[in-house]
Amino acid sequence: MSHASKPSFHGVIPPVVTPRTADGAVDTASLEKLTKYLLDGGVTGLFILGSSGEVPYLTNAERDTVIRTVAGVNAGEVPIIAGACEQTTARTVEEARRLVGLGADAIVATSQFYAISDIAETDTHFRSLHAALDVPLFAYDVPVRTHFKLPLPLLVQLAQDGVLAGVKDSSGDDVSFRQLLLATRGLPDFAVFTGHEVVVDGALLGGAAGVVPGLGNVDPAGYAALYSAAKAGDFAEAARVQDRLAGLFDIVYTPTPGRVSPGAAGLGAFKTALMLLGVIDTNVMSAPMTALNDAETAAIRGVLERSGLL
Amino acid sequence: MSHASKPSFHGVIPPVVTPRTADGAVDTASLEKLTKYLLDGGVTGLFILGSSGEVPYLTNAERDTVIRTVAGVNAGEVPIIAGACEQTTARTVEEARRLVGLGADAIVATSQFYAISDIAETDTHFRSLHAALDVPLFAYDVPVRTHFKLPLPLLVQLAQDGVLAGVKDSSGDDVSFRQLLLATRGLPDFAVFTGHEVVVDGALLGGAAGVVPGLGNVDPAGYAALYSAAKAGDFAEAARVQDRLAGLFDIVYTPTPGRVSPGAAGLGAFKTALMLLGVIDTNVMSAPMTALNDAETAAIRGVLERSGLL
Amino acid sequence: MSHASKPSFHGVIPPVVTPRTADGAVDTASLEKLTKYLLDGGVTGLFILGSSGEVPYLTNAERDTVIRTVAGVNAGEVPIIAGACEQTTARTVEEARRLVGLGADAIVATSQFYAISDIAETDTHFRSLHAALDVPLFAYDVPVRTHFKLPLPLLVQLAQDGVLAGVKDSSGDDVSFRQLLLATRGLPDFAVFTGHEVVVDGALLGGAAGVVPGLGNVDPAGYAALYSAAKAGDFAEAARVQDRLAGLFDIVYTPTPGRVSPGAAGLGAFKTALMLLGVIDTNVMSAPMTALNDAETAAIRGVLERSGLL
Amino acid sequence: MSHASKPSFHGVIPPVVTPRTADGAVDTASLEKLTKYLLDGGVTGLFILGSSGEVPYLTNAERDTVIRTVAGVNAGEVPIIAGACEQTTARTVEEARRLVGLGADAIVATSQFYAISDIAETDTHFRSLHAALDVPLFAYDVPVRTHFKLPLPLLVQLAQDGVLAGVKDSSGDDVSFRQLLLATRGLPDFAVFTGHEVVVDGALLGGAAGVVPGLGNVDPAGYAALYSAAKAGDFAEAARVQDRLAGLFDIVYTPTPGRVSPGAAGLGAFKTALMLLGVIDTNVMSAPMTALNDAETAAIRGVLERSGLL
């Protein structure tokens, strides 16, 4: 990314998965290949240390390794957005500053978790993060993890006050998502991204700036094509691409229910697909998550073949 | 509706609100006017005794009054879909049969509630309802009320087995919604409706059969126009209409948070808007819900004026 | 119960299960035997049409059969408390009045469910029920079903205002339970019951009026002995009896997880134990719940033998 | 604590609050005074870096300051149990090892949070922690923060396998609590503690090893007296002391609902009471939590006076 100009946040910004070697270490060689694969696929940003990157499972040393590796390959080509995944304000500030020091062009942060908080404290939380950081701040709305939906009026106020540069929405609240788009339409520097892989056409139709698709690790070019069609106003084509990608998303349903955790099922599917595509070396998960097994891997191979990726 | 042919379920099927007189009785005169207003607005079906119809608050006698009144005005013009709102299978069957006897062309039912159930029982529940009724059966997926999200694989199986004629989705799970559309695309007699007023353009882009919009009580012609644009493939126009309707949806945010219950806020806004439009006589709510007050009514008037409805 | 004097609500008031015949009808003969078994066991009241009575699964006609049957056997010996299980105020009033007409000495009602309500409406709800009924009104606090915990300050206010005659607490919030006992200690006509079978000793130590134990269907004499020990101040003995009953409660854990629903597991265990004890004829459940199978029945027989009941 | 013998975990082990100076730093002088106050009050252990210690809000440097300060005053008098509050296994191991190096005699850990996990991973999580640490490991069951209730069968298995030395239960599931006590009665080295301040008499009657009362910061001698009475078998006296302490617990209800967050209300009340008692210097909270104000402080003073502490 050219630091001479302000980064533009839009388009396809996949949450980069964190490959591991067979013995469980961060696999920097695979991560480098993955980064190139994504850039070659036409992504317009890289979101590292997100949920798809298994960030809660990484030690701080591993987090540093991830950002160093990705930043090295990226070499300023697209903006790097990093997740500062910590429990409360003070801890998030520490985490974010370290990541900015290592190359993050923007920070994504959730509301506080484990803490039992409320709206007023969440407002203070984001304002404190903004004041403490000198890069753009995105709110990550992910109540399935934080158990706190970021309220629409709070997001609108933080947008209007310039505290937030945008929102990565994984809330599943499509009504609030659309109302946020409408309410912030007049704010050119505020960008709303959906984190839901299979509703991107509708999100873009409604005015979203882009998408942060976990599945974009597997098919970055597909999401780039979807985004291009939508930008060109060809929503019929966007829907066709979306439908194909929604079919590909079936890989996350291949794990036997109950055999691996809900967290491991989706991320394991992405990793397994990337392994089958030759982009990363293993589908090893961060402990205590379990990797997908041979039967599940075979099922994923079938989906990839039906989707034309293999 | 012509009973000689099978009803077609598609398009705009608003969940008809239940007007009350100043002394709290079901206001049949206003309900007749509302039914005409909706038919004149171009709706393609009428969903009565839904959440927007305050069904849980109505006694059985009141429910009968509602269906008799609406069926009388409708006189077979469009299909009447009625909500059978009861706790468990046996009670739902009783309720549904009575409503079919009074003119319902199809029945909408949720999973069991108050009961502590599971997926297998829910499967049996819908199969038992289907076996007991001789009209099409729609599943109403509304976890905010039932506290049980209908699982995607269950819905797909019930669709493939011909148990369900469709789904009215108010789950807020847009990923599951899109996957349901994809998985049932080859079933011509299965219709998926969104219950979310502000994401209809995206839902139709993804292949939804239509929408059951509470806000459609207020602006039925708007939703009819949105549906027409989408059917014609003009999604840019659909999005423009959707944005206007999303602006109109702001009426549900006018009640002071905490002054009325979450249930009363949205429904109260619809009733108040209809009162201001001259369609119904009062904005009285079923007890113990509280009607919107003068300040909230004035705010709604402002939104209606900005939206061009007043 | 002598109608000449006000009923006293205290001690062991089991929530009577509803036996069914092999073909699924309410088994009045078994229900009569069960009622006698409970009265012989020393219970001080009978709570019918509660969750343990499968009330959400019963049609109104079945509910009427249950109260008529139990009231016939009881013949005024102990107070009959009946659950009016309905969605909202108006429907609950209808239900409660019918049950009072059939012999209920008191009514138990939850907050509204399926409806999306709040504290203020819940306050109005209970006050409206109290005003509409001329028998004592108990609040049933069961958030696992209603998804709304009755707030402590609301319960205290309703107690002080004479709206509520007591609370049946199945909330699992033992802190709120103790604070309610403390706050209402000076109200002689207000009675707090725990619905948790295995913490009765501690509840009585803290001042509870009694217990509504589902397991009391199986071992009414055991709960009577526990209550007597506590009333006599012998809490070491109360704890010994409680521990034995907690061991007996293991019958609810015998169903294979996932084979029957959570709702069916516990109630099915009670019914199966009563069948093995010869009190009722079958362990048939209300559809769509599934009865416990032979293996589960054998496991329950083992627990009954270890507990000395068989 | 004598390191020559194995520590015994029982009795009153308060979760030590973390005082802050007016400018927000950890107030080591106040923390030293508080530690002495607790030891003088007769506590049998010190639980630091728990929820009451605001652990999610503390940076790692602050956490180190807390354990160093408390360990310095304690000088081995009672066991120090430290909370390792981190998101996943690997991070918890790092945290726990650092705390053991600084003087922790035992570690308390929750299930993973922010992560989306399941029972099998939680089993692996605790076994991995046990394998990685050479001090006793306690499970902290606090679903209001982790949003995952530790299942009874899992806890029993981990107890039987010697993985866990005990459980600190703040689950609010009193049924599971009693069943855990029964199931682990034959395991002399397994200790179950309740975290609920107002039900300690019943918990001890049921066989709990002790209590971890946030309110024990304010009245350690009261909890010591309650524990002594129960140990002597005088449960009537235990209940009397418990009732007095439950009255004192009213300090947590003094903050105006909504003015401070739920998390800040209770902890703020403890800090404010300690300030009024002269034990610590301020009632400053970790940001973004807000300290109780003058009116709330005055209300707490009133409760302290009524309870005889002031």
Side-chain angles (χ1 to χ4, degrees), chain D residues 89-294:
Chain D
T89 309
R91 295 179 69 86
T92 307
V93 167
E94 275 197 351
E95 179 79 4
R97 284 182 172 158
R98 208 181 71 246
L99 296 174
V100 170
L102 293 170
D105 297 303
I107 289 293
V108 176
T110 65
S111 59
Q112 298 185 120
F113 52 88
Y114 191 86
I116 299 176
S117 193
D118 65 3
I119 297 176
E121 284 183 11
T122 305
D123 181 83
T124 303
H125 172 69
F126 282 114
R127 291 180 191 275
S128 301
L129 296 182
H130 174 66
L133 303 174
D134 51 11
V135 297
L137 174 67
F138 287 81
Y140 180 19
D141 195 6
V142 62
V144 72
R145 293 178 182 276
T146 61
H147 302 276
F148 183 80
K149 168 78 183 81
L150 295 176
L152 176 61
L154 175 63
L155 290 175
V156 172
Q157 191 63 54
L158 292 173
Q160 290 174 343
D161 293 350
V163 172
L164 293 180
V167 170
K168 191 225 155 174
D169 181 89
S170 295
S171 72
D173 184 338
D174 50 6
V175 173
S176 172
F177 184 81
R178 183 62 164 258
Q179 297 297 73
L180 179 62
L181 288 173
L182 268 182
T184 59
R185 188 159 292 176
L187 302 172
D189 294 333
F190 187 79
V192 181
F193 291 83
T194 179
H196 292 310
E197 286 91 346
V198 304
V199 296
V200 183
D201 51 354
L204 295 173
L205 181 62
V211 59
V212 181
L215 188 64
N217 283 280
V218 180
D219 192 359
Y223 278 97
L226 167 49
Y227 182 71
S228 294
K231 284 293 103 177
D234 187 351
F235 282 99
E237 171 64 11
R240 270 189 295 274
V241 179
Q242 178 64 90
D243 280 347
R244 184 181 65 74
L245 290 167
L248 178 61
F249 193 65
D250 279 347
I251 59 174
V252 311
Y253 304 121
T254 55
T256 309
R259 206 197 64 79
V260 299
S261 73
L267 305 188
F270 299 154
K271 280 188 159 177
T272 301
L274 285 167
M275 179 182 69
L276 291 170
L277 292 172
V279 179
I280 68 176
D281 279 359
T282 81
N283 66 350
V284 170
M285 303 293 292
S286 301
M289 292 190 289
T290 305
L292 301 197
N293 62 18
D294 287 352

Side-chain angles (χ1 to χ4, degrees), chain A residues 152 171-176 178-179 182 185 194 196-202 205-206 235-236 238-240 242-244 246-247 249-250 253, chain B residues 152 171-176 178-179 182 185 194 196-202 205-206 235-236 238-240 242-244 246-247 249-250 253:
Chain A
L152 175 62
S171 72
D173 185 339
D174 50 5
V175 173
S176 173
R178 183 63 166 258
Q179 299 295 73
L182 268 182
R185 189 160 288 177
T194 180
H196 293 308
E197 286 92 345
V198 304
V199 295
V200 183
D201 51 355
L205 181 62
F235 282 99
R240 271 190 294 274
Q242 178 64 88
D243 279 347
R244 185 181 66 74
F249 193 65
D250 279 346
Y253 304 122
Chain B
L152 175 63
S171 72
D173 184 340
D174 50 7
V175 173
S176 172
R178 183 62 166 259
Q179 298 296 75
L182 267 183
R185 188 160 290 177
T194 180
H196 292 309
E197 286 92 345
V198 304
V199 295
V200 182
D201 51 355
L205 181 61
F235 283 99
R240 271 189 295 274
Q242 178 64 89
D243 279 347
R244 184 182 65 73
F249 192 65
D250 280 347
Y253 304 122

Side-chain angles (χ1 to χ4, degrees), chain B residues 122-131 135-139 154-166 190:
Chain B
T122 305
D123 181 82
T124 303
H125 172 69
F126 282 114
R127 290 179 192 276
S128 300
L129 295 182
H130 173 66
V135 296
L137 174 66
F138 287 81
L154 174 63
L155 290 175
V156 172
Q157 191 63 53
L158 292 172
Q160 290 174 342
D161 293 350
V163 172
L164 294 180
F190 187 78

Side-chain angles (χ1 to χ4, degrees), chain A residues 3 48 67-68 71 74 79-82 98-106:
Chain A
H3 283 280
I48 57 168
I67 188 165
R68 281 200 180 96
N74 180 57
I80 291 181
I81 304 174
R98 210 181 69 245
L99 297 173
V100 170
L102 294 170
D105 296 304

